[in-house]
Amino acid sequence: MKIRTRFNLALLLVFVPGFVIGIWITHALLVNNAKTDVLANAGLMMETATSVRSYTVDHVSPRLRPLMQAEFLAETVPAFAAVETFARLQKSYPDYSYREATLNPTNLRNRATDWENYHIIRPFRAGTTSGATLEQLVGERVGNDGKRFLYIARPIRITNAACLACHSTPQAAPPALIKTYGDRHGFGWQQNEVVGAQIITVPFELAIQNAQRAVWAVSAVLLGLLASLFLVLNIMLDRVVIAPIRRVSQQSEQISLGNLDIPEFSERGAEEIVQLQSAFNRMRRSIQKAMRVVQPLPARRPLQTASEDA
Ligand code: HEC
Protein backbone atom coordinates (compact mmCIF):
# COMPACT_ATOMS: atom_id res chain seq x y z
CA MET A 1 0.00 0.00 0.00
CA LYS A 2 1.33 3.47 -0.87
CA ILE A 3 2.46 5.86 1.87
CA ARG A 4 -0.23 8.35 0.88
CA THR A 5 -3.00 5.71 1.09
CA ARG A 6 -1.83 4.53 4.52
CA PHE A 7 -1.50 8.06 5.78
CA ASN A 8 -4.94 9.10 4.50
CA LEU A 9 -6.58 5.98 5.89
CA ALA A 10 -5.13 6.80 9.32
CA LEU A 11 -6.35 10.41 9.00
CA LEU A 12 -9.86 9.30 8.03
CA LEU A 13 -9.87 6.83 10.90
CA VAL A 14 -9.36 9.76 13.28
CA PHE A 15 -11.35 12.46 11.43
CA VAL A 16 -14.59 10.60 10.68
CA PRO A 17 -15.33 9.33 14.22
CA GLY A 18 -14.03 12.64 15.64
CA PHE A 19 -16.41 14.59 13.41
CA VAL A 20 -19.41 12.37 14.14
CA ILE A 21 -18.83 12.34 17.91
CA GLY A 22 -18.12 16.10 17.96
CA ILE A 23 -21.31 16.93 16.11
CA TRP A 24 -23.35 14.50 18.17
CA ILE A 25 -22.16 16.09 21.41
CA THR A 26 -22.70 19.63 20.05
CA HIS A 27 -26.23 18.70 18.97
CA ALA A 28 -27.06 17.15 22.35
CA LEU A 29 -25.69 20.17 24.22
CA LEU A 30 -27.45 22.76 22.06
CA VAL A 31 -30.82 20.98 22.13
CA ASN A 32 -30.49 20.55 25.86
CA ASN A 33 -29.69 24.27 26.27
CA ALA A 34 -32.65 25.20 24.10
CA LYS A 35 -34.87 23.00 26.25
CA THR A 36 -33.56 24.54 29.47
CA ASP A 37 -34.18 28.07 28.11
CA VAL A 38 -37.70 27.28 26.94
CA LEU A 39 -38.54 25.57 30.22
CA ALA A 40 -37.19 28.57 32.14
CA ASN A 41 -39.71 30.69 30.18
CA ALA A 42 -42.48 28.27 30.98
CA GLY A 43 -41.51 28.27 34.65
CA LEU A 44 -41.66 32.06 34.69
CA MET A 45 -45.11 31.97 33.12
CA MET A 46 -46.26 29.45 35.72
CA GLU A 47 -45.07 31.74 38.51
CA THR A 48 -46.87 34.65 36.80
CA ALA A 49 -50.12 32.66 36.73
CA THR A 50 -49.71 31.82 40.39
CA SER A 51 -49.07 35.50 41.19
CA VAL A 52 -52.17 36.60 39.29
CA ARG A 53 -54.16 34.05 41.26
CA SER A 54 -52.87 35.19 44.63
CA TYR A 55 -53.28 38.87 43.72
CA THR A 56 -56.93 38.12 42.94
CA VAL A 57 -57.40 36.30 46.25
CA ASP A 58 -55.67 39.02 48.30
CA HIS A 59 -56.85 42.19 46.60
CA VAL A 60 -59.68 41.71 44.12
CA SER A 61 -61.98 39.18 45.80
CA PRO A 62 -62.30 40.96 49.18
CA ARG A 63 -63.24 44.23 47.44
CA LEU A 64 -65.77 42.70 45.06
CA ARG A 65 -67.44 40.25 47.46
CA PRO A 66 -69.86 42.88 48.89
CA LEU A 67 -71.05 43.60 45.33
CA MET A 68 -71.96 39.97 44.64
CA GLN A 69 -75.45 39.80 46.12
CA ALA A 70 -77.47 39.74 42.90
CA GLU A 71 -74.90 38.82 40.32
CA PHE A 72 -71.88 36.50 40.53
CA LEU A 73 -68.68 38.29 39.57
CA ALA A 74 -66.23 35.90 37.92
CA GLU A 75 -63.52 38.52 38.51
CA THR A 76 -63.37 37.33 42.12
CA VAL A 77 -62.28 33.85 41.02
CA PRO A 78 -58.48 33.35 40.88
CA ALA A 79 -58.75 30.73 38.11
CA PHE A 80 -60.76 33.18 36.02
CA ALA A 81 -58.21 35.97 36.53
CA ALA A 82 -55.28 33.76 35.50
CA VAL A 83 -57.03 32.27 32.44
CA GLU A 84 -58.20 35.72 31.28
CA THR A 85 -54.75 37.28 31.73
CA PHE A 86 -53.11 34.59 29.63
CA ALA A 87 -55.86 34.75 26.99
CA ARG A 88 -54.74 38.35 26.49
CA LEU A 89 -51.08 37.35 26.33
CA GLN A 90 -51.96 34.71 23.76
CA LYS A 91 -53.15 37.39 21.33
CA SER A 92 -49.52 38.50 20.93
CA TYR A 93 -47.99 35.03 21.50
CA PRO A 94 -50.40 32.56 19.94
CA ASP A 95 -48.17 29.53 20.51
CA TYR A 96 -48.08 30.04 24.30
CA SER A 97 -50.98 28.82 26.37
CA TYR A 98 -52.19 28.55 29.94
CA ARG A 99 -54.89 26.13 31.02
CA GLU A 100 -56.64 25.35 34.25
CA ALA A 101 -57.66 21.96 32.90
CA THR A 102 -60.27 20.46 35.22
CA LEU A 103 -62.14 17.17 35.06
CA ASN A 104 -65.46 18.64 36.27
CA PRO A 105 -65.20 22.42 35.78
CA THR A 106 -67.55 25.24 36.72
CA ASN A 107 -66.78 27.03 33.47
CA LEU A 108 -66.87 24.50 30.62
CA ARG A 109 -64.02 26.20 28.75
CA ASN A 110 -61.77 24.75 31.47
CA ARG A 111 -62.80 21.14 30.82
CA ALA A 112 -59.74 18.92 30.45
CA THR A 113 -59.19 17.42 27.01
CA ASP A 114 -58.58 13.67 26.73
CA TRP A 115 -54.86 14.32 26.31
CA GLU A 116 -54.68 16.56 29.39
CA ASN A 117 -56.65 14.05 31.41
CA TYR A 118 -54.59 11.04 30.34
CA HIS A 119 -51.08 12.54 30.42
CA ILE A 120 -51.31 15.06 33.21
CA ILE A 121 -54.30 14.90 35.55
CA ARG A 122 -54.32 11.12 35.92
CA PRO A 123 -50.65 10.89 36.96
CA PHE A 124 -51.25 13.68 39.51
CA ARG A 125 -54.34 11.93 40.88
CA ALA A 126 -52.54 8.58 40.97
CA GLY A 127 -49.70 10.26 42.89
CA THR A 128 -52.13 11.60 45.45
CA THR A 129 -53.80 8.22 46.08
CA SER A 130 -50.50 6.35 46.25
CA GLY A 131 -49.19 8.88 48.78
CA ALA A 132 -46.26 9.92 46.57
CA THR A 133 -47.20 13.52 45.84
CA LEU A 134 -46.17 14.53 42.38
CA GLU A 135 -45.73 18.30 42.33
CA GLN A 136 -44.74 19.00 38.74
CA LEU A 137 -44.73 17.34 35.36
CA VAL A 138 -42.53 18.50 32.50
CA GLY A 139 -42.78 17.05 29.05
CA GLU A 140 -42.81 17.41 25.31
CA ARG A 141 -45.83 17.22 23.11
CA VAL A 142 -46.39 17.38 19.35
CA GLY A 143 -49.26 19.59 18.22
CA ASN A 144 -51.77 18.72 15.48
CA ASP A 145 -49.69 20.63 12.95
CA GLY A 146 -46.57 18.61 13.84
CA LYS A 147 -44.99 21.47 15.83
CA ARG A 148 -43.21 20.58 19.05
CA PHE A 149 -44.16 22.08 22.41
CA LEU A 150 -42.90 21.79 25.95
CA TYR A 151 -45.23 21.88 28.90
CA ILE A 152 -45.01 22.36 32.64
CA ALA A 153 -47.95 21.22 34.73
CA ARG A 154 -48.81 21.49 38.42
CA PRO A 155 -51.74 19.84 40.17
CA ILE A 156 -54.74 21.83 41.40
CA ARG A 157 -55.38 20.22 44.75
CA ILE A 158 -58.19 21.27 47.11
CA THR A 159 -56.27 21.99 50.28
CA ASN A 160 -58.47 24.84 51.54
CA ALA A 161 -61.95 23.97 52.85
CA ALA A 162 -63.14 27.44 51.72
CA CYS A 163 -63.02 26.21 48.10
CA LEU A 164 -65.82 23.77 48.83
CA ALA A 165 -68.20 26.68 49.52
CA CYS A 166 -68.60 26.97 45.74
CA HIS A 167 -67.39 23.57 44.50
CA SER A 168 -69.03 20.98 46.80
CA THR A 169 -72.80 20.97 46.15
CA PRO A 170 -75.16 23.35 44.31
CA GLN A 171 -77.06 23.82 47.60
CA ALA A 172 -73.95 25.10 49.37
CA ALA A 173 -72.94 27.41 46.49
CA PRO A 174 -74.05 31.06 46.31
CA PRO A 175 -77.34 31.35 44.34
CA ALA A 176 -75.74 33.98 42.09
CA LEU A 177 -73.13 31.38 41.03
CA ILE A 178 -75.87 28.85 40.14
CA LYS A 179 -77.66 31.53 38.14
CA THR A 180 -74.55 32.19 36.02
CA TYR A 181 -73.05 28.72 35.69
CA GLY A 182 -75.96 26.34 36.39
CA ASP A 183 -75.97 23.46 38.87
CA ARG A 184 -74.81 20.64 36.58
CA HIS A 185 -71.02 20.92 36.72
CA GLY A 186 -68.19 22.19 38.92
CA PHE A 187 -69.51 20.43 42.06
CA GLY A 188 -68.64 17.31 44.01
CA TRP A 189 -65.02 18.27 44.56
CA GLN A 190 -63.46 16.69 47.66
CA GLN A 191 -60.98 17.94 50.22
CA ASN A 192 -57.40 16.94 49.12
CA GLU A 193 -58.61 15.83 45.71
CA VAL A 194 -56.62 16.79 42.62
CA VAL A 195 -59.40 18.28 40.51
CA GLY A 196 -57.25 19.36 37.59
CA ALA A 197 -53.94 20.91 36.64
CA GLN A 198 -52.41 24.22 35.67
CA ILE A 199 -50.70 23.63 32.35
CA ILE A 200 -48.32 26.03 30.62
CA THR A 201 -47.48 25.11 27.03
CA VAL A 202 -44.65 26.86 25.21
CA PRO A 203 -43.38 26.42 21.64
CA PHE A 204 -40.22 24.38 21.29
CA GLU A 205 -40.03 24.30 17.48
CA LEU A 206 -38.24 27.62 16.99
CA ALA A 207 -35.66 26.88 19.71
CA ILE A 208 -35.01 23.45 18.16
CA GLN A 209 -34.64 25.00 14.70
CA ASN A 210 -32.17 27.57 16.06
CA ALA A 211 -30.21 24.83 17.80
CA GLN A 212 -30.16 22.80 14.58
CA ARG A 213 -29.01 25.84 12.61
CA ALA A 214 -26.17 26.27 15.10
CA VAL A 215 -25.27 22.58 14.71
CA TRP A 216 -25.12 23.05 10.91
CA ALA A 217 -22.83 26.05 11.35
CA VAL A 218 -20.53 24.14 13.70
CA SER A 219 -20.53 21.15 11.30
CA ALA A 220 -19.58 23.40 8.39
CA VAL A 221 -16.73 25.01 10.34
CA LEU A 222 -15.46 21.67 11.65
CA LEU A 223 -15.71 20.08 8.22
CA GLY A 224 -13.87 23.02 6.65
CA LEU A 225 -11.17 22.76 9.30
CA LEU A 226 -10.74 19.01 8.85
CA ALA A 227 -10.74 19.33 5.05
CA SER A 228 -8.04 22.04 5.18
CA LEU A 229 -6.01 19.91 7.59
CA PHE A 230 -6.38 16.95 5.25
CA LEU A 231 -5.27 19.01 2.28
CA VAL A 232 -2.33 20.66 4.05
CA LEU A 233 -1.10 17.34 5.47
CA ASN A 234 -1.33 15.74 2.02
CA ILE A 235 0.59 18.55 0.34
CA MET A 236 3.24 18.42 3.08
CA LEU A 237 3.48 14.66 2.82
CA ASP A 238 3.94 14.94 -0.93
CA ARG A 239 6.59 17.69 -0.79
CA VAL A 240 8.49 16.60 2.30
CA VAL A 241 8.43 12.83 2.01
CA ILE A 242 7.02 11.32 -1.15
CA ALA A 243 8.67 13.52 -3.82
CA PRO A 244 12.22 13.31 -2.30
CA ILE A 245 11.88 9.54 -1.84
CA ARG A 246 10.72 9.25 -5.44
CA ARG A 247 13.80 11.22 -6.60
CA VAL A 248 16.13 8.96 -4.59
CA SER A 249 14.49 5.87 -6.02
CA GLN A 250 14.69 7.27 -9.58
CA GLN A 251 18.42 7.95 -9.06
CA SER A 252 18.97 4.46 -7.67
CA GLU A 253 17.22 3.13 -10.74
CA GLN A 254 19.56 5.15 -13.03
CA ILE A 255 22.66 4.07 -11.10
CA SER A 256 21.59 0.45 -11.20
CA LEU A 257 21.46 0.83 -15.00
CA GLY A 258 25.06 2.08 -14.95
CA ASN A 259 24.22 5.70 -15.58
CA LEU A 260 26.63 7.39 -13.16
CA ASP A 261 26.69 10.80 -14.85
CA ILE A 262 23.47 12.16 -13.37
CA PRO A 263 23.91 15.14 -11.01
CA GLU A 264 24.20 14.65 -7.25
CA PHE A 265 21.39 15.57 -4.80
CA SER A 266 21.39 19.18 -3.69
CA GLU A 267 20.87 18.07 -0.04
CA ARG A 268 17.92 20.37 0.71
CA GLY A 269 14.70 19.61 2.60
CA ALA A 270 13.70 18.00 5.89
CA GLU A 271 16.51 16.79 8.16
CA GLU A 272 15.92 13.08 7.63
CA ILE A 273 15.65 13.55 3.88
CA VAL A 274 18.92 15.55 3.80
CA GLN A 275 20.59 12.69 5.72
CA LEU A 276 19.25 10.22 3.18
CA GLN A 277 20.40 12.38 0.25
CA SER A 278 23.90 12.92 1.64
CA ALA A 279 24.22 9.21 2.49
CA PHE A 280 23.11 8.46 -1.03
CA ASN A 281 25.57 10.96 -2.52
CA ARG A 282 28.40 9.39 -0.48
CA MET A 283 27.38 5.90 -1.50
CA ARG A 284 27.34 7.00 -5.12
CA ARG A 285 30.82 8.49 -4.91
CA SER A 286 32.08 5.27 -3.30
CA ILE A 287 30.50 3.25 -6.07
CA GLN A 288 32.10 5.53 -8.68
CA LYS A 289 35.50 5.11 -7.03
CA ALA A 290 35.10 1.37 -6.72
CA MET A 291 34.07 1.12 -10.35
CA ARG A 292 37.16 3.06 -11.38
CA VAL A 293 39.35 0.62 -9.43
CA VAL A 294 37.58 -2.48 -10.71
CA GLN A 295 37.30 -1.30 -14.33
CA PRO A 296 40.41 0.77 -15.28
CA LEU A 297 40.14 2.62 -18.55
CA PRO A 298 41.19 0.20 -21.34
CA ALA A 299 43.13 2.91 -23.31
CA ARG A 300 45.52 3.79 -20.41
CA ARG A 301 46.00 0.36 -18.82
CA PRO A 302 44.94 -2.38 -21.21
CA LEU A 303 44.35 -5.80 -19.64
CA GLN A 304 47.06 -7.52 -21.71
CA THR A 305 49.69 -5.11 -20.31
CA ALA A 306 48.54 -6.02 -16.81
CA SER A 307 49.03 -9.74 -17.48
CA GLU A 308 52.43 -9.09 -19.14
CA ASP A 309 53.53 -7.16 -16.02
CA ALA A 310 52.57 -10.15 -13.95
C1 HEC B 1 -67.06 32.09 45.55
C2 HEC B 1 -67.09 30.82 44.88
C3 HEC B 1 -65.80 30.10 44.65
C4 HEC B 1 -64.85 29.75 45.56
C5 HEC B 1 -64.84 30.01 47.06
C6 HEC B 1 -63.84 29.04 44.80
N1 HEC B 1 -64.18 28.98 43.50
FE1 HEC B 1 -63.17 28.05 42.06
N2 HEC B 1 -64.41 28.76 40.67
C7 HEC B 1 -65.56 29.47 40.94
C8 HEC B 1 -66.16 29.84 39.69
C9 HEC B 1 -67.44 30.64 39.52
C10 HEC B 1 -65.34 29.37 38.68
C11 HEC B 1 -65.49 29.56 37.19
C12 HEC B 1 -64.81 30.86 36.78
C13 HEC B 1 -64.78 31.07 35.28
O1 HEC B 1 -65.80 31.54 34.74
O2 HEC B 1 -63.73 30.81 34.70
C14 HEC B 1 -64.25 28.68 39.33
C15 HEC B 1 -63.24 28.06 38.65
C16 HEC B 1 -62.26 27.34 39.28
C17 HEC B 1 -61.28 26.58 38.56
C18 HEC B 1 -61.12 26.46 37.06
C19 HEC B 1 -61.88 25.28 36.56
C20 HEC B 1 -63.35 25.48 36.56
O3 HEC B 1 -63.99 24.90 37.45
O4 HEC B 1 -63.85 26.25 35.73
C21 HEC B 1 -60.48 26.02 39.50
C22 HEC B 1 -59.30 25.12 39.23
C23 HEC B 1 -60.96 26.45 40.78
N3 HEC B 1 -62.04 27.24 40.61
C24 HEC B 1 -60.37 26.09 41.93
C25 HEC B 1 -60.74 26.63 43.16
C26 HEC B 1 -59.99 26.45 44.37
C27 HEC B 1 -58.72 25.61 44.47
C28 HEC B 1 -60.61 27.14 45.32
C29 HEC B 1 -60.18 27.31 46.75
C30 HEC B 1 -58.88 27.92 46.97
C31 HEC B 1 -61.78 27.76 44.71
N4 HEC B 1 -61.81 27.44 43.39
C32 HEC B 1 -62.69 28.54 45.38
C33 HEC B 1 -66.05 29.77 42.16
C34 HEC B 1 -65.38 29.61 43.34
Side-chain angles (χ1 to χ4, degrees):
M1 204 189 281
K2 286 185 170 174
I3 295 183
R4 187 198 294 281
T5 317
R6 279 174 189 241
F7 183 82
N8 283 340
L9 273 179
L11 278 186
L12 287 179
L13 221 64
V14 175
F15 283 3
V16 173
F19 179 76
V20 172
I21 293 171
I23 290 306
W24 184 70
I25 291 176
T26 312
H27 183 263
L29 279 178
L30 286 175
V31 168
N32 201 39
N33 274 0
K35 201 169 184 166
T36 312
D37 283 353
V38 170
L39 281 178
N41 269 346
L44 196 68
M45 285 175 70
M46 183 62 96
E47 290 308 321
T48 310
T50 308
S51 306
V52 170
R53 277 168 141 263
S54 71
Y55 171 78
T56 310
V57 171
D58 295 343
H59 296 280
V60 182
S61 303
R63 294 255 170 171
L64 291 186
R65 214 165 285 134
L67 305 174
M68 276 216 293
Q69 304 312 323
E71 184 197 0
F72 187 85
L73 298 174
E75 289 76 10
T76 56
V77 177
F80 179 83
V83 171
E84 283 294 313
T85 305
F86 277 91
R88 258 141 243 254
L89 182 84
Q90 210 174 20
K91 285 187 188 139
S92 320
Y93 296 92
D95 284 341
Y96 291 72
S97 81
Y98 174 71
R99 295 264 300 143
E100 296 235 358
T102 309
L103 293 178
N104 175 17
T106 310
N107 186 334
L108 293 177
R109 73 173 170 184
N110 298 325
R111 190 191 287 283
T113 62
D114 287 344
W115 189 91
E116 289 167 336
N117 182 14
Y118 190 79
H119 289 93
I120 296 174
I121 301 177
R122 264 201 215 172
F124 281 140
R125 285 170 74 91
T128 307
T129 45
S130 71
T133 44
L134 189 59
E135 285 312 330
Q136 183 161 290
L137 274 176
V138 173
E140 197 178 323
R141 136 169 224 204
V142 180
N144 298 333
D145 49 2
K147 283 189 189 165
R148 291 159 78 178
F149 293 88
L150 290 182
Y151 64 83
I152 288 190
R154 287 186 189 162
I156 300 174
R157 190 176 286 116
I158 305 302
T159 49
N160 183 344
C163 308
L164 300 179
C166 297
H167 291 295
S168 61
T169 59
Q171 292 74 32
L177 185 152
I178 305 290
K179 216 165 111 195
T180 312
Y181 295 94
D183 57 2
R184 319 248 329 230
H185 43 81
F187 301 106
W189 297 9
Q190 309 283 329
Q191 182 71 14
N192 280 328
E193 183 189 358
V194 171
V195 295
Q198 294 174 277
I199 307 169
I200 295 273
T201 310
V202 288
F204 192 26
E205 199 62 34
L206 192 67
I208 284 278
Q209 279 172 8
N210 285 343
Q212 267 155 1
R213 216 167 290 141
V215 171
W216 281 120
V218 173
S219 311
V221 171
L222 198 62
L223 207 64
L225 211 71
L226 292 181
S228 325
L229 203 61
F230 192 82
L231 210 69
V232 168
L233 286 176
N234 263 283
I235 293 173
M236 294 278 291
L237 182 74
D238 203 57
R239 293 211 172 151
V240 177
V241 183
I242 299 179
I245 290 185
R246 196 175 290 135
R247 277 197 294 277
V248 173
S249 81
Q250 276 163 359
Q251 282 238 15
S252 319
E253 187 92 18
Q254 291 296 317
I255 292 173
S256 76
L257 294 174
N259 186 2
L260 289 167
D261 301 331
I262 45 175
E264 287 202 349
F265 285 118
S266 54
E267 301 189 12
R268 273 189 292 119
E271 209 177 312
E272 293 83 350
I273 297 295
V274 169
Q275 277 169 4
L276 175 68
Q277 288 171 338
S278 64
F280 192 85
N281 285 342
R282 277 199 307 278
M283 186 179 77
R284 204 181 108 165
R285 276 178 235 134
S286 314
I287 292 179
Q288 273 171 331
K289 266 188 218 151
M291 294 288 270
R292 252 182 249 128
V293 174
V294 175
Q295 289 185 323
L297 289 174
R300 282 167 54 202
R301 289 194 70 179
L303 270 173
Q304 299 100 307
T305 326
S307 56
E308 276 163 22
D309 287 352

